[in-house]
Amino acid sequence: MPVGHHPEHAVKAYQDERPSITRLILEARWAHYRLTDALEHDPDSNAVPALRRLKVLHAGALVDVLALRTRDPDLYEAARDHGAVLREVDGLALDDHPHNGLDHLRAQYARLHHHTHGDARRAPHATDESLPTKRPFRRPGPRLVRQMLDAYAWARLGLTSRFPAVDVACEQRRHLMTRGLLLDWAATAAPADNAAAAAAATAGHALRAFDRQAALNDLRARAYLLDTFRDFDDQDEDDDPHPRDCAGHCDGTGEVLTVLTWEHHGDDDYTAVHQEPILCFGGPAPHAPDCATCGGHGFTYTASYRELCLDGRISDGEPVAATVAPQGA
């Protein structure tokens, strides 16, 4: 665990324990995997609501700490969204203060680790006039976090006989790559965090070994993470960015914040409980009428919940045909 003072330690929820980036990733990906496993194997389980909350809490804490380090606006907004969802899950209103969702997220993370003071706000002496660390990749930070969590979950689920179509090796490689990039970004934003730098280098070495490449020194191994991600990432996002006045209302980011989960209260009364950014197609995306996941309705249903189906979304450049891919949300 790092012993130095890093940007997130200016927040009292993280100051007392000083959690490492590596541990935050471990917590978030395990919570995400447990929820994904429950939704795939037993969506009606009484444990699902608690697992949803745990996933929101741990993923939110990871995103929040990354935002505090990098000062990335996408990560900051994602952390606020996680806090707002957590307040709704905990039955609290979100109308007393614009930052109360984020404060609630931090306080609940502190209490989970037995720090019960409840003061989760930023310390008054915390000021940082330096420029934010430039993102080493074009893809939004929150999306990279979701890719890392999904890749871990599906790499594990793909080892079971229930999911023979999952390319386990591809998911394992994607997880190595995205996890390493997050570690590298966090280490670059806080140069004193030698543990994160070492973990990023270890991820780079592991990815090179996975690709059967010769070993390199630590710095070049970390650089290999970004090189492979550039090859892996969709180049369309870089070559054809969305305009600021995009018809899909993504403001040029290529992603639009969308409700994914609603809770059913009877008589067709649904309340939104979870939202995430999803890929923007530049306008309303029709749904394939023969979608194998939802049958063309655009939604899937479990006990007390309705989920937005993303498998059959069709962009303007795609034929009207069902497309099926594993979803970890």
Side-chain angles (χ1 to χ4, degrees), residues 123-179:
H125 67 273
T127 59
D128 185 1
E129 300 300 331
S130 62
L131 293 175
T133 302
K134 185 177 180 180
R135 183 188 306 147
F137 41 83
R138 288 180 179 265
R139 178 158 294 189
R143 186 175 175 189
L144 188 70
V145 172
R146 293 195 303 277
Q147 279 189 314
M148 185 269 295
L149 298 177
D150 273 341
Y152 177 79
W154 286 104
R156 291 182 63 94
L157 290 173
L159 296 174
T160 68
S161 59
R162 289 175 57 92
F163 305 99
V166 175
D167 188 339
V168 174
C170 179
E171 297 296 339
Q172 289 174 336
R173 185 176 188 270
R174 188 161 65 108
H175 173 255
L176 277 174
M177 188 189 317
T178 51
R179 177 178 174 273

Side-chain angles (χ1 to χ4, degrees), residues 36-43 157 160 162-163:
T36 305
D37 181 67
L39 291 175
E40 293 294 336
H41 289 87
D42 189 10
L157 290 173
T160 68
R162 289 175 57 92
F163 305 99

Side-chain angles (χ1 to χ4, degrees), residues 69 133-134 136-137 176-209 214-230:
R69 285 204 181 192
T133 302
K134 185 177 180 180
F137 41 83
L176 277 174
M177 188 189 317
T178 51
R179 177 178 174 273
L181 276 176
L182 289 172
L183 288 166
D184 183 67
W185 195 14
T188 302
D193 191 353
N194 296 323
T202 299
H205 291 306
L207 183 60
R208 286 190 65 83
L216 299 173
N217 61 41
D218 286 356
L219 288 177
R220 294 180 66 186
R222 288 171 63 177
Y224 183 74
L225 293 165
L226 183 56
D227 291 340
T228 52
F229 185 77
R230 284 171 174 158

